[in-house]
Amino acid sequence: MDGDGLFSCTDYRAFLKELYLQKKTSRAGYSYRKFAEDMGFTASNYLHLVITGKRNLSHDAIQKIKKNNSWSAQQKKYFENLVLYNQTSEENERQKYFGELEKILGKKRQVLNPD
């Protein structure tokens, strides 16, 4: 799953897992260690812990992932809001981030379908 598949995701952990599996399929010997390194992390198991739900992404971690992917500005914004939406337990905050996700999707639809 590449950055375009991001817009169909509602769970950033599932997206990261699919991204990892895509890279693993296309590269012999690809590991979580290499995935973490590619995303800018020194801890080799950090992203595995995130994907399995044992850790959350910090603000700095979100920024590293955005920086180390060749995503569009919309994709980066969507990813950040998706993480914040998934990680917050406060209903008001969840609604705020969900609204941001919908705005981004609305803009993307307009770009793809100007009619």
Side-chain angles (χ1 to χ4, degrees):
M1 176 180 295
D2 57 12
D4 287 334
L6 175 60
F7 292 120
S8 63
C9 289
T10 57
D11 180 352
Y12 79 91
R13 294 176 201 276
F15 171 75
L16 288 175
K17 182 178 182 179
E18 289 300 317
L19 187 61
Y20 165 73
L21 292 173
Q22 180 186 34
K23 290 175 183 271
K24 185 170 178 60
T25 302
S26 66
R27 295 186 197 168
Y30 198 79
S31 64
Y32 273 109
R33 179 183 304 266
K34 180 65 175 145
F35 187 51
E37 184 182 303
D38 289 349
M39 296 293 168
F41 298 97
T42 54
S44 61
N45 69 337
Y46 180 71
L47 288 176
H48 182 263
L49 293 172
V50 168
I51 289 169
T52 58
K54 295 178 182 164
R55 294 276 191 280
N56 281 334
L57 287 177
S58 66
H59 178 74
D60 289 342
I62 294 168
Q63 301 312 311
K64 280 184 186 182
I65 292 172
K66 287 172 33 179
K67 177 183 174 192
N68 288 291
N69 282 282
S70 56
W71 296 337
S72 69
Q74 269 188 324
Q75 289 167 320
K76 290 177 181 184
K77 187 174 179 183
Y78 187 88
F79 180 77
E80 183 166 0
N81 280 284
L82 183 62
V83 172
L84 296 171
Y85 170 75
N86 286 166
Q87 290 185 170
T88 190
S89 58
E90 234 181 88
E91 189 56 34
N92 289 340
E93 290 291 308
R94 284 181 63 80
Q95 290 299 322
K96 174 183 144 190
Y97 295 125
F98 186 77
E100 289 298 317
L101 294 171
E102 285 187 323
K103 276 190 223 174
I104 295 165
L105 288 176
K107 288 179 184 172
K108 179 157 176 56
R109 286 186 197 112
Q110 289 172 2
V111 170
L112 292 176
N113 300 313
D115 303 294

